[in-house]
């Protein structure tokens, strides 16, 4: 009681705490002196530290913190406003999506705006479902339940946990997900449950009675994630652990057996999978044989789980092949891609069957024959004239009655992002998306192919107004990467590549096991689905204000151009014709 009274009156002492503080101070002082001596008198690699020992190191501390901390200080300098970034995070977490007073940053310069109607609609009057059909002439057309989906991001560039969260979120939200060029991996199939009665196309491993007992005990004592990790380690070879999915009911670990005969694979895409778009890059990952050549049989098997194929010729952030550094090429990633582990993967710049446009279109026709599903291409336009050869050859093929032409064209803009790209190519090559999209839509209409060839647009989309602008400019579908990354926990630290031993701090874009161990798959999956839902509702809300009831009514005549001084140029065609001509 006396000690309590002394504490209340301010008469107290903490001898142990004081000792610890004094000891810590002495250790820090000793380390500082040692660093000072080393910088000034020993090291001869950095002249700054010779002149400014110890203090000079602060430069590198602040430099290391610059990227991870940049979003917390100053104005947003990449997207229009930080309000857009905040909207993405709030939408994912189901928080309020209304703002007060005005945007945090004024929007300067010439920009596109949406025309509001004199007599607006209630949102209930706008079509509830915004969908689009690809490949109407093939045996298995693909009707996407949404005009918004996750664009290409490979398993490998993204962690296994991140890929699972995206796939689960796409399934919950009923929107498409693109595999990226890293192949169709087990993680994209994480919602596909193991069925003992129909598993001829699967490899399955089940633990002994002892292993299953350990799993159940650990699940009760610790948590399911750790219990699963221990169980996997007990029954699977270390190099194969991450290539298997896990069924907590039957306690089977399973993966697709690509050696199984074609007859064993499902005739149609299983209903417990998201709508997957398979991307084929120049490395042919996931559909190549032992010599690195295209394997038609493997491709047919892959397409039993996917809705359509996208051939990647280029992307906005880099017009080279994909790049994955060695430390991201784990045993699992090497298994999926058919390469050696822990060696850099730099895919060829040119797609192997695209020496000419004619060869490319013939290969498109071959893939359509093999899969009986839509096939398209992904391009970056350099100028208005660059699209003319595509349009001309499509016109020739249609006139000849041939189906060897793309069912869709993905147009990626110059401001598109990437986890690993040469700095010199970022935002220095290609047209911005608005201009490129206008050109593609205009030229396809000119040859009468607009209904047969759909357009996917992808570049720098965060909020419903971004997507609505692209849909009005001619896009049938909008692919989003950055915003979906944010919904899955990305803090934009820009450590995606894994270069120089630096890793994504949230375990999303890394193969580092320690960072990945904290990734909350279920939470992020629901946030991914939440964001998509709010995007669609936001688009419908804007359509109501514009007086547009259906997707078909939304075109570029619903847009205006606002000049930097606040004036408007309502002739949208004249604006773009002048812009693309320049």
């Amino acid at each position: 009681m006396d000690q309590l009274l002394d504490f209340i009156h301010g008469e107290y002492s903490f001898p142990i705490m004081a000792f610890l503080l004094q000891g810590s101070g002495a250790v820090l002082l000793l380390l500082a002196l040692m660093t000072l001596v080393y910088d000034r008198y020993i090291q001869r690699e950095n002249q700054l530290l010779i002149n400014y020992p110890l203090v000079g190191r602060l430069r590198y501390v602040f430099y290391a913190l610059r990227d991870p901390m940049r979003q917390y200080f100053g104005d947003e300098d990449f997207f229009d406003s930080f309000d857009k970034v905040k909207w993405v995070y709030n939408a994912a977490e189901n928080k309020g999506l209304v703002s007060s007073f005005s945007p945090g940053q004024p929007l300067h310069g010439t920009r596109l705006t949406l025309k509001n109607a004199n007599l607006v609609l209630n949102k209930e009057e706008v079509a509830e479902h915004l969908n689009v059909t690809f490949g109407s002439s093939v045996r298995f057309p693909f009707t996407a339940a949404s005009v918004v989906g996750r664009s290409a991001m490979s398993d490998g560039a993204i962690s296994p946990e991140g890929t699972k969260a995206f796939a689960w979120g796409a399934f919950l939200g009923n929107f498409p997900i693109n595999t990226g060029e890293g192949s169709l991996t087990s993680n994209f199939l994480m919602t596909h449950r193991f069925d003992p009665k129909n598993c001829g196309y699967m490899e399955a491993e089940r633990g002994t009675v002892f292993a299953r007992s350990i799993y159940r005990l650990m699940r009760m004592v610790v948590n399911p994630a750790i219990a699963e990790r221990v169980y996997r380690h007990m029954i699977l070879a270390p190099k194969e652990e991450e290539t298997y999915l896990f069924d907590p009911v039957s306690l089977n670990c399973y993966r697709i057996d690509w050696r199984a005969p074609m007859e064993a694979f499902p005739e149609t895409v299983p209903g417990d999978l998201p709508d997957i778009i398979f991307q084929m890059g120049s490395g042919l990952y996931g559909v190549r044989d032992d010599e690195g050549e295209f394997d038609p049989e493997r491709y047919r098997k892959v397409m039993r789980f996917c809705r359509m194929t996208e051939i990647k010729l280029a992307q906005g952030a880099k017009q080279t092949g994909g790049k994955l550094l060695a430390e991201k090429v784990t045993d699992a990633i090497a298994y999926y891609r058919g390469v050696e582990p822990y060696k850099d993967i730099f895919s060829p710049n040119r797609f192997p069957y695209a020496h000419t446009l004619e060869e490319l279109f013939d290969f498109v026709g071959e893939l359509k024959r093999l899969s009986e599903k839509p096939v398209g291409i992904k391009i970056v336009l350099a100028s208005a004239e660059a699209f003319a050869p595509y349009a001309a050859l499509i016109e020739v093929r249609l006139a000849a009655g041939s189906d060897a032409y793309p069912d869709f064209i993905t147009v990626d803009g110059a401001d598109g992002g990437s986890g690993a790209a040469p700095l010199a190519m970022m935002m220095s090559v290609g047209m911005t998306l608005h201009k490129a999209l206008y050109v593609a839509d205009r030229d396809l209409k000119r040859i009468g192919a607009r209904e047969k060839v759909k357009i996917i647009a992808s570049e720098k989309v965060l909020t419903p107004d971004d997507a609505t602008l692209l849909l009005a400019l001619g896009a049938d579908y909008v692919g989003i990467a950055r915003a979906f990354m944010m919904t899955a926990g990305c803090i934009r630290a820009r450590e995606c590549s894994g270069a120089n031993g630096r890793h994504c701090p949230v375990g999303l874009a890394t193969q580092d096991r320690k960072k990945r161990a904290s990734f909350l798959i279920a939470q992020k999956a629901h946030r991914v689905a939440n964001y998509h839902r709010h995007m669609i509702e936001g688009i419908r809300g804007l359509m109501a204000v514009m007086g547009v009831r259906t997707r078909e009514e939304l075109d570029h005549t619903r847009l205006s151009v606002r000049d930097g001084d606040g004036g408007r140029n309502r002739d949208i065609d004249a604006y773009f014709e002048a812009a693309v001509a320049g």
Side-chain angles (χ1 to χ4, degrees):
M1 182 58 118
D2 291 339
Q3 293 177 338
L4 179 60
L5 291 173
D6 290 342
F7 180 83
I8 293 173
H9 291 95
E11 299 174 3
Y12 53 86
S13 63
F14 296 98
I16 296 178
M17 183 63 73
F19 173 77
L20 290 175
L21 288 173
Q22 291 170 1
S24 299
V27 170
L28 290 174
L29 180 60
L30 179 61
L31 288 174
L33 288 172
M34 291 172 63
T35 303
L36 187 148
V37 171
Y38 175 79
D39 288 347
R40 174 65 66 84
Y41 301 108
I42 300 176
Q43 70 88 20
R44 284 299 178 266
E45 297 177 357
N46 190 311
Q47 61 195 42
L48 174 67
L49 297 182
I50 297 174
N51 293 329
Y52 299 95
L54 191 62
V55 175
R57 289 184 177 272
L58 290 176
R59 175 185 186 275
Y60 302 101
V61 173
F62 293 137
Y63 188 82
L65 292 175
R66 184 179 187 276
D67 277 339
M69 302 298 289
R70 67 190 174 95
Q71 63 178 310
Y72 307 116
F73 304 100
D75 289 340
E76 173 63 40
D77 55 4
F78 185 72
F79 297 105
D80 292 334
S81 167
F82 183 73
D83 297 284
K84 285 180 171 287
V85 176
K86 187 177 180 182
W87 189 93
V88 173
Y89 289 121
N90 286 345
E93 297 178 27
N94 267 335
K95 293 183 177 179
L97 298 177
V98 294
S99 300
S100 301
F101 194 65
S102 65
Q105 294 168 241
L107 304 179
H108 300 294
T110 300
R111 60 190 179 89
L112 296 176
T113 60
L114 308 172
K115 287 183 182 177
N116 61 288
N118 288 336
L119 300 175
V120 300
L121 304 174
N122 291 322
K123 192 161 71 171
E124 295 76 23
E125 298 176 81
V126 177
E128 181 179 358
H129 302 291
L130 303 178
N131 50 39
V132 57
T133 298
F134 297 90
S136 56
S137 63
V138 299
R139 180 185 177 191
F140 298 109
F142 169 43
T143 298
S146 173
V147 293
V148 170
R150 200 209 74 165
S151 59
M153 290 189 283
S154 299
D155 194 356
I158 303 298
S159 68
E161 293 76 13
T163 301
K164 288 178 180 178
F166 284 129
W168 190 359
F171 180 73
L172 293 173
N174 196 21
F175 62 85
I177 180 171
N178 190 308
T179 64
E181 63 177 289
S183 80
L184 176 69
T185 69
S186 300
N187 299 313
F188 284 104
L189 311 177
M190 69 90 57
T191 57
H192 188 37
R193 295 273 66 92
F194 179 78
D195 181 3
K197 298 179 182 178
N198 183 25
C199 59
Y201 57 93
M202 288 185 176
E203 297 179 67
E205 299 289 343
R206 191 166 187 255
T208 62
V209 174
F210 175 74
R212 299 198 299 271
S213 300
I214 293 295
Y215 168 80
R216 295 188 178 100
L217 177 63
M218 293 201 67
R219 185 182 173 95
M220 289 188 296
V221 175
V222 192
N223 63 55
I226 294 178
E228 178 187 335
R229 200 176 308 152
V230 172
Y231 183 71
R232 283 173 176 270
H233 190 68
M234 293 177 70
I235 70 171
L236 298 172
K239 292 185 177 181
E240 297 184 340
E241 282 185 39
E242 293 187 348
T243 65
Y244 281 82
L245 296 169
F246 174 67
D247 180 15
V249 178
S250 66
L251 300 190
N252 276 291
C253 291
Y254 58 99
R255 67 182 182 186
I256 303 299
D257 183 2
W258 300 111
R259 299 165 300 178
M262 193 71 223
E263 298 74 28
F265 284 76
E267 288 290 332
T268 59
V269 176
D272 57 1
L273 285 177
D275 289 334
I276 301 173
I277 302 171
F278 175 69
Q279 187 182 80
M280 187 185 301
S282 59
L284 303 177
Y285 304 124
V287 290
R288 54 193 264 172
D289 59 23
D290 294 338
E291 284 71 45
E293 301 295 325
F294 176 65
D295 185 341
E297 188 76 357
R298 176 66 178 265
Y299 172 70
R300 289 181 62 210
K301 293 175 180 179
V302 166
M303 292 310 296
R304 293 298 175 93
F305 305 97
C306 301
R307 299 292 184 177
M308 62 182 189
T309 302
E310 177 184 79
I311 297 174
K312 176 187 171 185
L313 301 179
Q315 69 180 92
K318 57 176 182 280
Q319 288 68 46
T320 65
K323 303 182 186 306
L324 197 66
L325 300 188
E327 62 183 68
K328 278 192 163 186
V329 187
T330 62
D331 290 305
I333 298 305
Y335 164 79
Y336 295 135
R337 301 196 185 198
V339 298
E340 292 186 59
Y342 303 105
K343 290 187 177 181
D344 292 341
I345 301 178
F346 289 174
S347 302
N349 288 351
R350 185 178 60 232
F351 190 76
Y353 303 100
H355 294 83
T356 64
L357 278 186
E358 288 77 10
E359 182 187 20
L360 172 64
F361 277 34
D362 289 343
F363 188 67
V364 167
E366 175 67 6
L367 296 185
K368 291 168 78 169
R369 183 188 66 79
L370 289 170
S371 67
E372 301 181 290
K373 295 179 180 182
V375 178
I377 59 176
K378 181 176 183 177
I379 63 174
V380 176
L381 293 182
S383 64
E385 295 75 23
F387 192 75
Y390 293 99
L393 188 53
I394 290 171
E395 185 176 25
V396 169
R397 294 292 171 97
L398 287 174
S402 169
D403 67 347
Y405 64 87
D407 294 301
F408 65 92
I409 296 177
T410 299
V411 180
D412 204 9
D415 287 345
S418 171
L423 180 62
M425 290 187 183
M426 286 187 170
M427 297 183 290
S428 298
V429 180
M431 296 177 74
T432 56
L433 182 58
H434 287 174
K435 295 177 183 178
L437 186 54
Y438 176 84
V439 169
D441 181 59
R442 179 197 66 187
D443 288 4
L444 288 174
K445 285 178 178 176
R446 186 176 295 163
I447 63 171
R450 192 61 187 85
E451 290 304 312
K452 291 184 175 294
V453 182
K454 302 298 185 183
I455 298 177
I456 296 176
S458 179
E459 179 201 70
K460 208 175 176 180
V461 176
L462 293 187
T463 53
D465 55 312
D466 297 332
T468 304
L469 282 171
L470 298 183
L471 294 170
L473 280 172
D476 297 289
Y477 173 92
V478 177
I480 302 175
R482 285 187 180 99
F484 275 118
M485 288 287 287
M486 294 179 199
T487 66
C490 172
I491 62 171
R492 300 192 299 156
R494 301 204 302 181
E495 303 292 356
C496 314
S497 69
N500 304 314
R502 299 174 68 88
H503 302 285
C504 170
V506 298
L508 175 59
T510 181
Q511 297 298 319
D512 181 82
R513 286 178 178 265
K514 291 182 179 178
K515 295 289 193 301
R516 289 166 38 198
S518 62
F519 193 89
L520 305 173
I521 298 175
Q523 180 198 73
K524 301 309 180 188
H526 285 85
R527 290 186 177 181
V528 166
N530 289 341
Y531 167 73
H532 173 265
R533 184 180 71 255
H534 287 299
M535 278 291 288
I536 296 300
E537 287 304 302
I539 293 171
R540 292 181 64 237
L542 289 171
M543 289 173 63
V545 171
M546 299 166 72
V548 174
R549 284 183 167 82
T550 65
R551 165 68 190 87
E552 290 70 27
E553 297 176 40
L554 187 60
D555 59 27
H556 68 271
T557 63
R558 306 281 182 171
L559 303 179
S560 294
V561 179
R562 175 171 292 174
D563 299 328
D565 60 2
R568 286 176 180 256
N569 174 5
R570 293 194 176 272
D571 189 347
I572 194 80
D573 286 301
Y575 166 77
F576 271 109
E577 291 297 337
V580 299

